[in-house]
Amino acid sequence: MAVEERDEHTGYLTTGHEWNGIKELNRPVPTVIWLFLTTAFLAALACWILLPAWPLGNTYTRGLLKADQRQRVTEEIAEAASKRSASVARIESMPFDEIRSDPDLMRNVIETGRTLFGDNCAACHGKTGHGGPGFPSLADNAWLWGGDADAVAETIRIGINSDHPETRTSQMLAFGHDGLLDRESILNVVAYVRSLSDPASAQGHPEAVSAGEKVFASSCAACHGKDGGGNTAMGAPNLTDQFWIYGGDEESIFSTLTYGRKGHMPQWESRLTPVQRKILALYVAGLGNGKEK
Amino acid sequence: MVSTLTKNERHFAFIISVSVAMCGLVMAAAGRNDLLGTHGFIVFFFALGVTFILARGYYDPEPGDERFSAYYDEPIKAGIILAMSWAVFAMFVGDWVAWLLAYPELTFDEPWASFGRLRPVHTTGIIFGFGGNALIATLFHVMQRTARARMPDQLSPWFVLIGYNLFCVLAVTGYPLGITQSKEYAEPEWYADIWLVIVWVTYLALYLRTLARRQEPHIYVANWYFLAFILVVAVLHIVNNLALPISLSSAKSFPIFSGVQDAMTQWWYGHNAVAFFLTAGFLGMMYYYLPTRAKRPIFSYRLSIISFWGITFLYMWAGSHHLHYTALPQWVQTLGMSFSLMLLVPSWASAGNALLTLNGAWHRVRDDATLRFMMVAAVFYGVSTFEGSFLAIRPVNSLSHYTDWTIGHVHAGALGWVALITFGAIYSLVPILWKRDRIYSPALVEVHFWLALAGTLIYVFAMWNSGIVQGLMWRTYTASGTLAYSFMDSVVAMHPYYIARAIGGLLFLVGTVIGFYNIWMTIRTPINIPRDLASDHPVTEHAGAPAAEPAE
Ligand code: HEM
Ligand code: HEM
């Protein structure tokens, strides 16, 4: 029952079909569509002629350009590496001090170091290297294992308590949990340790502080030093400064003494090249305003 | 619901839901040491709920033969309510994850609230929950109207609708628990996939049976798209989900393909899910509701033919543009790129056919927000397909891939096209189904329109900006030949855009909630059958005897 009608608005006939009131105009496909389709097909054809495109059994059409994404990326990587090679070679061969006294090379180190640090270290040490609870600040001149570039480079290479065979190892014992000290001794030594960096905190309980001093001498001084100044040979932190990894308030120190601490830093020898590690060492050592300790 | 089923159908429905409940119990028992057990209980209680509803209406009077002189619209109504509920839910989760990207610490330290688990709740909830239910509902409406035939029975549409929603529930409850196949848009595990196959085959059968009963000599364009949608999605779903469970008492399975073959299968699926779920299905919707609302004939029948075959043929080849510069052989990438370029022609032809159909009805577009929803949807369809073909060009993709540009493209299509065309269709359909002369408040439709448009624009512009900034930051080198920015720098740079996107999403969500309210209030106003619905019934003379046997 196809009855064509003329649409008044456009003047075209309908196809004569109707579905619940819907009709369709019997209008030819606009020429622009054919043009568009032809152009698109020609563009596709050009792709097929120029680039690898159609499978042929075990192989495929290679295309006139002989493009090969694998080869291309290998070349691009080699090209980028050769662009960097001059500065890389210098950084690799020069000692830290010499690099530092070369402003051009140093600019390169800081630029590269910032992104290397952002991509590899910032997750724990923070974007600016200021650390966070459990992760030491690298910008504060307080160093567990030494803050000169050589020591930092070594820490980066082997990590701390890591899976590297030469790893730096250190551990703060769980004095309370393992029953090495009773609760009272712990409270006393906490008072003493706080007084080292904050003499005002000693006020009001001098007995606890002096009792704590004795405990410190017998149980803590072996690692942290007689005066609590720390020992970078064994990664024992200085307790007399204002820098704390796990917090310097009474509660945090109490918990450190009770449960112990054993922080972990991964080794980077298998993940970063020697030059990258050298750059990072320079960058990190320079975070605390360039002052080394 | 139950009162429209015949005695026989109620009987079968009862058997089905009790069997599903039993399956749930078996899953719960077999998987008691696994997350499968949790899903077993969900299946069990879901089926128990359905059984309970059935039991309550079991002895209601049977529908009489007068039902054959009307279309079967009950499941369509339920489908619309479900679609809107999923929309509110999944857009809420979408906005949640949008805020999560701006403030990643908002996870309450709970595993279920992590971005990786909530994100698929959004994508599945919105694509399958909202999009799928809207497609099922409008398709049931369009196929009956354009065939001028009532659905062959009352049970199978309910089976399809409820069964499909069981699948969606299993999917979105699984992710927060940690159940996933890790294939994007195909995350649900093997047992949910098997269930969907059963539902989908019933869907196809129902569609074909209705079409076979048609009283119109020709099949309308919308139906070509709907049929392509059902058929292709069935094939995609089955092939991409071929997997072996590690044991029948575990939720975990592994795909039978591996490596780059698996990746290619996944993106052949992924891209054609976009093509046949998010595009073909909604084009079917557009081809019915846009001309009926505009009261204009389709611009060109011949253009419809070209577009349809162009889209169905070309899309199939384009999936590899999701794997540019990967281990996938380069020749496959070239094919994906070239077919994506050609795909622009039928895509724009469809968008153009829709927009040109409005010639002679632009005054309606101006006055009627419902029609304007559909007009703007067609524009966004044009925008997102142009963008898609552009992104498929390898050098362009090397900038855009892995960036928010993809997310911007997705939502230009998803918000601008899929959601807007659906709102337009639902606003047209609700008064027809519930026999009201108009929607409760045209002013609120207007408000919804502007909120949705503003939300979409804010979202898409924010992501275009952030995507391009991100892409450029990742490829900027210093004079010394090393990367200028760390990844973290680019994350920090995204922060303002992420806030803008979350605000855009919030506007969109508020619009949806208003829309739902408006629909709800329309349903609650008293019936007043509009005159032009007088002919809204099937042709009955030749409709034949009612189907004797239920669908399964
Ligand atoms: C209130 C509105 C919406 C908001 C706020 C929203 C937000 C989001 C967010 C934040 C993501 C994750 C992006 C990322 O991983 O970087 C996302 C992904 C996605 N959304 Fe939405 N969305 C909304 C509506 C929709 C709608 C209506 C649809 C579909 C019809 C949709 C489909 C998707 C898809 C497919 C993805 C995954 C994209 C990909 O993997 O490339 N969204 N959405
Ligand atoms: C001619 C039509 C289209 C073409 C050629 C096309 C092409 C593309 C390309 C090249 C990508 C990016 C792949 C990547 O870099 O990872 C993409 C992603 C995407 N597109 Fe389209 N697109 C088209 C239309 C649409 C439409 C209309 C929608 C939605 C309604 C859509 C939804 C998506 C989604 C969801 C993704 C993200 C996939 C993922 O999760 O990674 N596309 N599309």
Side-chain angles (χ1 to χ4, degrees), chain B residues 176-421:
Chain B
L177 295 169
I179 302 176
T180 171
Q181 283 194 133
S182 307
K183 286 188 158 212
E184 202 175 9
Y185 316 126
E187 291 95 344
E189 274 291 358
W190 58 276
Y191 48 93
D193 290 337
I194 293 175
W195 173 246
L196 185 61
V197 171
I198 299 172
V199 170
W200 211 260
V201 169
T202 315
Y203 191 18
L204 177 62
L206 171 63
Y207 191 77
L208 292 177
R209 284 159 69 217
T210 311
L211 217 53
R213 294 156 58 93
R214 75 177 187 279
Q215 297 301 313
E216 295 286 356
H218 295 271
I219 297 180
Y220 181 54
V221 195
N223 289 311
W224 311 345
Y225 281 106
F226 282 142
L227 193 56
F229 151 63
I230 304 181
L231 260 179
V232 178
V233 169
V235 175
L236 297 172
H237 173 74
I238 292 172
V239 175
N240 192 41
N241 286 301
L242 291 174
L244 279 180
I246 58 174
S247 100
L248 287 179
S249 56
S250 166
K252 187 76 212 122
S253 70
F254 285 94
I256 62 165
F257 307 111
S258 61
V260 76
Q261 279 88 354
D262 186 48
M264 189 61 244
T265 311
Q266 157 63 22
W267 284 109
W268 164 77
Y269 164 90
H271 188 70
N272 286 300
V274 168
F276 290 90
F277 207 103
L278 294 178
T279 300
F282 292 89
L283 279 173
M285 207 186 261
M286 180 186 82
Y287 262 108
Y288 183 86
Y289 295 100
L290 184 128
T292 47
R293 191 77 186 185
K295 303 193 169 58
R296 289 290 305 154
I298 293 291
F299 172 76
S300 165
Y301 166 65
R302 292 160 197 271
L303 198 52
S304 307
I305 301 184
I306 296 238
S307 323
F308 175 78
W309 287 110
I311 285 177
T312 30
F313 174 68
L314 296 173
Y315 254 116
M316 277 293 162
W317 297 75
S320 56
H321 66 218
H322 291 264
L323 296 167
H324 279 338
Y325 300 100
T326 62
L328 190 74
Q330 195 177 351
W331 60 265
V332 195
Q333 300 177 28
T334 309
L335 284 183
M337 169 172 97
S338 50
F339 277 89
S340 307
L341 283 176
M342 292 190 279
L343 191 51
L344 181 60
V345 183
S347 302
W348 268 23
S350 303
N353 210 3
L355 290 172
L356 293 169
T357 295
L358 295 172
N359 277 346
W362 287 101
H363 59 286
R364 287 207 185 89
V365 176
R366 184 192 60 211
D367 298 337
D368 176 10
T370 302
L371 186 56
R372 213 176 319 122
F373 263 115
M374 295 192 264
M375 187 280 282
V376 175
V379 172
F380 270 104
Y381 178 64
V383 171
S384 56
T385 49
F386 174 77
E387 185 182 29
S389 297
F390 185 59
L391 294 182
I393 301 172
R394 282 175 87 241
V396 180
N397 197 262
S398 77
L399 177 70
S400 74
H401 191 69
Y402 305 118
T403 74
D404 286 327
W405 194 349
T406 306
I407 306 299
H409 162 66
V410 170
H411 288 85
L415 301 174
W417 157 240
V418 171
L420 294 195
I421 193 73

Side-chain angles (χ1 to χ4, degrees), chain B residues 47-184:
Chain B
L48 203 65
V50 175
T51 315
F52 180 73
I53 295 173
L54 273 171
R56 255 196 359 190
Y58 202 82
Y59 293 106
D60 284 358
E62 272 197 276
D65 279 350
E66 73 281 359
R67 70 175 187 276
F68 295 116
S69 60
Y71 294 116
Y72 188 45
D73 287 348
E74 300 306 310
I76 308 179
K77 294 180 182 174
I80 289 193
I81 303 293
L82 282 166
M84 290 307 290
S85 313
W86 279 104
V88 171
F89 165 73
M91 285 178 198
F92 171 75
V93 180
D95 207 41
W96 182 349
V97 292
W99 287 110
L100 208 47
L101 283 173
Y103 299 98
E105 62 278 12
L106 294 179
T107 57
F108 330 114
D109 272 343
E110 291 287 342
W112 64 264
S114 57
F115 178 76
R117 292 193 184 186
L118 285 180
R119 189 187 195 271
V121 173
H122 163 61
T123 55
T124 300
I126 204 79
I127 300 177
F128 296 111
F130 166 59
N133 276 301
L135 282 172
I136 291 179
T138 52
L139 187 148
F140 282 170
H141 178 250
V142 172
M143 78 180 180
Q144 293 189 96
R145 273 23 177 221
T146 54
R148 281 209 167 266
R150 185 184 159 93
M151 283 191 255
D153 68 300
Q154 284 78 230
L155 180 56
S156 38
W158 284 111
F159 177 77
V160 171
L161 186 70
I162 297 175
Y164 180 77
N165 279 279
L166 173 59
F167 167 80
C168 295
V169 166
L170 286 180
V172 298
T173 52
Y175 313 143
L177 295 169
I179 302 176
T180 171
Q181 283 194 133
S182 307
K183 286 188 158 212
E184 202 175 9

Side-chain angles (χ1 to χ4, degrees), chain A residues 23 27 48 52 69 114 119, chain B residues 298 300 330 334 338 394 487:
Chain A
K23 295 173 190 156
R27 183 197 303 251
W48 300 340
Q69 62 170 10
R114 203 187 66 83
D119 284 335
Chain B
I298 293 291
S300 165
Q330 195 177 351
T334 309
S338 50
R394 282 175 87 241
F487 182 73

Side-chain angles (χ1 to χ4, degrees), chain A residues 1-126:
Chain A
M1 47 166 199
V3 186
E4 289 121 40
E5 296 165 28
R6 193 163 295 280
D7 172 50
E8 279 178 24
H9 184 77
T10 57
Y12 278 98
L13 284 177
T14 66
T15 54
H17 312 149
E18 186 194 327
W19 300 269
N20 216 28
I22 303 179
K23 295 173 190 156
E24 299 164 314
L25 296 181
N26 194 1
R27 183 197 303 251
V29 176
T31 327
V32 56
I33 297 284
W34 293 120
L35 277 175
F36 193 16
L37 196 59
T38 317
T39 318
F41 177 73
L42 289 177
L45 196 64
C47 290
W48 300 340
I49 293 174
L50 295 175
L51 299 167
W54 287 93
L56 303 167
N58 279 336
T59 173
Y60 53 89
T61 59
R62 306 274 155 165
L64 295 181
L65 295 182
K66 301 269 178 272
D68 180 338
Q69 62 170 10
R70 216 166 276 265
Q71 194 189 329
R72 171 106 186 267
V73 81
T74 316
E75 284 165 11
E76 280 179 359
I77 289 174
E79 199 181 312
S82 82
K83 237 175 102 183
R84 285 192 304 264
S85 59
S87 54
V88 163
R90 293 182 62 207
I91 294 174
E92 196 158 29
S93 60
M94 283 157 68
F96 284 117
D97 283 341
E98 242 174 82
I99 301 177
R100 273 214 194 87
S101 53
D102 180 338
D104 259 0
L105 208 50
M106 236 5 232
R107 199 170 323 113
N108 184 325
V109 163
I110 303 283
E111 234 173 34
T112 313
R114 203 187 66 83
T115 46
L116 275 177
F117 189 84
D119 284 335
N120 296 288
C121 323
C124 295
H125 294 289

Side-chain angles (χ1 to χ4, degrees), chain B residues 452-513:
Chain B
L453 183 59
T456 307
L457 290 175
I458 295 175
Y459 192 125
V460 172
F461 274 96
M463 290 298 99
W464 280 339
N465 273 299
S466 72
I468 292 173
V469 169
Q470 230 174 1
L472 291 177
M473 284 178 90
W474 294 344
R475 54 161 62 171
T476 305
Y477 287 86
T478 60
S480 34
T482 54
L483 285 174
Y485 300 100
S486 66
F487 182 73
M488 194 51 79
D489 289 331
S490 71
V491 175
V492 172
M494 293 309 100
H495 188 66
Y497 301 113
Y498 284 175
I499 293 180
R501 180 253 304 272
I503 292 173
L506 190 62
L507 296 184
F508 203 90
L509 169 66
V510 170
T512 309
V513 172

